[in-house]
Amino acid sequence: STYSLDILYSGSGVLRRSNMNIYGASNGAMLHGLQVAIEAQGLESLIAATPDEGEEDLESFAGMSALLFDVQLRPVTFFKGYSDLMSKMFSMSGEPMNVVKGLILLTDHSEVIQLQSGLKASAEFQGGLAIDISGGMEVSLWYRESKTSVNNRGALVVTGNVTVDMDFMRAGVEVSFETEASLDFITTVQFSEYPFLVCMQMDKTTFPFSESVSKYESLSSGKSIASHKSKK
């Protein structure tokens, strides 16, 4: 998995667009898993900067949009217009706005496999992804500073089992895999003097990873044997 952050500024050094992308690759195939874009326009008038040519009359605006597995999600508007910005500056709690939050079923597979011995094995696999993506933008005209943040949280769980039933014995294997990740991008711009000061931060925690394998056999007489192995 790889990630990238691309930032576009106006001629005056004001943020115009911030793109955060996460890709996944496997066996030569590439998946665009996530894109979070923060867009802004017309902010030059708020900080007495010179707008780019042809953009002198643009209304001030800031918002965020996201693509999840190449599906466009509903965009979020931080503010639109000077009066809206002023009202939200006094009412905003500082908490990021949620873009998407939920559970995604990645796989739900069940089949019966005919073995060469004549026996049949039942296989079941399930995988789920929990995702929480949020972002925010704060503009302080008093301190002449703006801050944008994109917060990503995710957890992946995959479980499976294969069992073989015979008249006198039942045997099987159970496997599970779990991991979770947290990745935040924070961009701070101080426009109290020119050239502007820009600070880009990436904050990530350790990525815990665990897997386990259990094997078991049980006889019709009631005797059973089980073994379990796991690592984290």
Side-chain angles (χ1 to χ4, degrees), residues 24-232:
S26 177
N27 297 324
M30 181 70 74
L31 172 68
H32 192 181
L34 175 67
Q35 180 189 83
V36 180
I38 295 179
E39 299 181 79
Q41 69 176 31
L43 301 184
E44 288 84 359
S45 59
L46 303 178
I47 60 175
T50 303
D52 291 350
E53 184 177 355
E55 300 182 353
E56 295 83 0
D57 299 325
L58 286 180
E59 183 182 29
S60 58
F61 166 83
M64 178 173 53
S65 61
L67 286 170
L68 181 62
F69 299 127
D70 285 332
V71 177
Q72 177 69 59
L73 305 179
R74 186 175 62 180
V76 174
T77 299
F78 296 139
F79 64 85
K80 187 174 184 179
Y82 182 78
S83 59
D84 189 26
L85 172 62
M86 290 296 101
S87 63
K88 290 181 177 177
M89 281 181 61
F90 292 106
S91 62
M92 67 174 52
S93 62
E95 294 295 322
M97 299 177 66
N98 192 263
V99 180
V100 58
K101 185 176 185 179
L103 298 173
I104 301 172
L105 181 64
L106 297 178
T107 181
D108 188 3
H109 180 75
S110 177
E111 69 173 316
V112 176
I113 305 170
Q114 182 69 51
L115 304 179
Q116 288 184 346
S117 61
L119 300 174
K120 292 183 179 180
S122 300
E124 294 182 351
F125 291 90
Q126 286 187 322
L129 176 67
I131 194 167
D132 184 357
I133 304 169
S134 59
M137 182 174 187
E138 299 177 39
V139 179
S140 173
L141 300 182
W142 180 263
Y143 294 104
R144 302 186 68 79
E145 180 180 275
S146 68
K147 177 181 292 187
T148 59
S149 61
V150 177
N151 313 109
N152 306 278
R153 305 285 186 274
L156 174 68
V157 177
V158 178
T159 62
N161 66 78
V162 179
T163 59
V164 177
D165 273 322
M166 293 168 277
D167 293 337
F168 62 94
M169 186 178 74
R170 185 171 188 263
V173 178
E174 293 182 353
V175 296
S176 68
F177 162 82
E178 299 178 13
T179 185
E180 60 181 283
S182 172
L183 189 64
D184 299 336
F185 287 102
I186 303 168
T187 305
T188 306
V189 180
Q190 291 184 345
F191 45 83
S192 56
E193 58 185 51
Y194 193 83
F196 297 155
L197 297 178
V198 180
C199 175
M200 290 184 290
Q201 298 170 279
M202 185 188 71
D203 183 13
K204 65 184 179 113
T205 59
T206 56
F207 293 175
F209 162 91
S210 61
E211 63 179 3
S212 64
V213 178
S214 299
K215 301 177 182 179
Y216 57 89
E217 296 178 3
S218 59
L219 300 176
S220 56
S221 61
K223 184 178 180 180
S224 63
I225 302 173
S227 65
H228 181 76
K229 182 188 297 184
S230 64
K231 68 177 181 178
K232 185 173 183 179

